[in-house]
Amino acid sequence: MADNGRGDLQDRVAFITGAARGQGRSHALTLAREGAVIVAVDICASVPTVPYGLGTEEDLAETARLVEEAGGRCLTARADVRNREELVAAVEKAMATFGRLDVVVANAGVAQGLPETEAATIDEIWADYIAINLTGAWNTLQATRDALVDGGRGGSVIIISSTSGLKGTSRGDVRADAYTAAKHGLVGLMRAWANELGPAGVRVNTIHPTAVGTPMVENPAMGAWVEANRHRVAGGFNDAMHRGRVGLQDVSEAVLWLASERSGAVTGVTLPVDNGFVIA
């Protein structure tokens, strides 16, 4: 159990989307171990255009259990990031419970893969992937803005993008255009909001992981995508350090640093966590 009297985020409240499992759960646990109170938000439902299962209510409850097991407090809320009213309701629930908001991690996202069957048109896929991965982050910022600014304490907004937000993903005959466009769009969103919220002491940054071992990556649809692109990877590696995937904790440590005052002068930054993928 963490020593909650000494954490970098003692008494801070962190609002995390996509928190039922994967990166979101890892970020929640990491921040909780440093003293943060967690507001864990997830859709807890499937999306027809996404070719793999998403987090469930049981997954979200498990995130809360693990946070509490680590000595933290966790409030859960179901919300689809495509629906700003649901996010606003989650923020209002958090404010009524904890009275403040200090950290926002816009983590919710979905990845394009190769579905076993064509369940949707390319127009439907484009619309959903832009809505979840880009508009969802914008909705999250819109929903949390007043709570961050009106608190008068500053704060930190961390948007989880991707290395696909820093370089073009090889497409060929494999769909990755909506994902890549959305992840690039998050950089522009971050820079605009870093300027807007800077006078209030709220910092805004993006993190750009390469592939992470989560259910978003480890599923048949994504496995087919990787296999279809394997010929593009020279020598079996596509990163400068020849390590391949990064770990969940690698990304969560970057989230922790940006959430804490240790990065108090850092805003408007695109931070790769990728073993050198974007330079290879």
Side-chain angles (χ1 to χ4, degrees):
M1 184 179 295
D3 181 349
N4 288 334
R6 300 182 181 179
D8 280 352
L9 300 177
Q10 183 65 32
D11 298 325
R12 308 287 177 85
V13 177
F15 186 96
I16 305 173
T17 63
R21 65 183 191 183
Q23 284 194 50
R25 177 184 288 173
S26 178
H27 304 335
L29 287 170
T30 298
L31 300 189
R33 292 183 185 118
E34 292 296 327
V37 173
I38 305 300
V39 182
V41 180
D42 205 281
I43 185 175
C44 298
S46 62
V47 176
T49 51
V50 177
Y52 56 90
L54 300 181
T56 64
E57 289 187 74
E58 292 76 16
D59 291 326
L60 188 59
E62 178 65 4
T63 293
R65 187 191 71 80
L66 291 169
V67 166
E68 290 162 4
E69 185 179 80
R73 289 189 292 165
C74 185
L75 176 71
T76 62
R78 286 189 62 177
D80 183 343
V81 294
R82 294 172 294 181
N83 186 321
R84 196 188 313 165
E85 290 183 357
E86 292 183 4
L87 288 168
V88 168
V91 172
E92 289 175 347
K93 183 179 178 182
M95 293 298 290
T97 305
F98 303 122
R100 61 187 289 167
L101 194 61
D102 305 281
V103 176
V104 173
V105 185
N107 168 77
V110 290
Q112 284 173 276
L114 288 181
E116 294 181 4
T117 60
E118 291 295 335
T121 68
I122 58 172
D123 295 301
E124 291 170 331
I125 291 169
W126 174 270
D128 274 351
Y129 280 71
I130 296 298
I132 295 168
N133 290 333
L134 179 56
T135 306
W138 182 70
N139 283 337
T140 302
L141 269 61
Q142 291 283 357
T144 58
R145 180 191 187 281
D146 288 349
L148 286 169
V149 172
D150 293 348
R153 296 175 299 271
S156 178
V157 175
I158 302 149
I159 302 171
I160 307 300
S161 181
S162 164
T163 50
S164 292
L166 297 175
K167 63 187 291 186
T169 302
S170 298
R171 186 174 188 273
D173 58 352
V174 179
R175 284 198 297 269
D177 51 355
Y179 182 81
T180 301
K183 294 300 185 177
H184 272 73
L186 290 175
V187 174
L189 180 67
M190 174 272 289
R191 287 172 174 159
W193 280 72
N195 279 312
E196 179 176 342
L197 299 185
V202 178
R203 301 177 292 108
V204 187
N205 297 282
T206 49
I207 294 177
H208 298 261
T210 188
V212 186
T214 69
M216 190 179 86
V217 171
E218 295 179 341
N219 62 76
M222 187 55 64
W225 189 95
V226 171
E227 188 60 34
N229 281 276
R230 194 173 297 280
H231 66 284
R232 307 180 199 276
V233 181
F237 293 98
N238 58 1
D239 62 88
M241 299 180 75
H242 288 194
R243 291 179 177 174
R245 294 178 181 176
V246 297
L248 280 169
Q249 199 59 38
D250 294 323
V251 186
S252 293
E253 290 296 331
V255 170
L256 172 59
W257 181 67
L258 288 174
S260 75
E261 289 305 311
R262 298 189 185 198
S263 60
V266 178
T267 194
V269 165
T270 57
L271 176 62
V273 180
D274 65 347
N275 292 326
F277 174 80
V278 295
I279 63 169

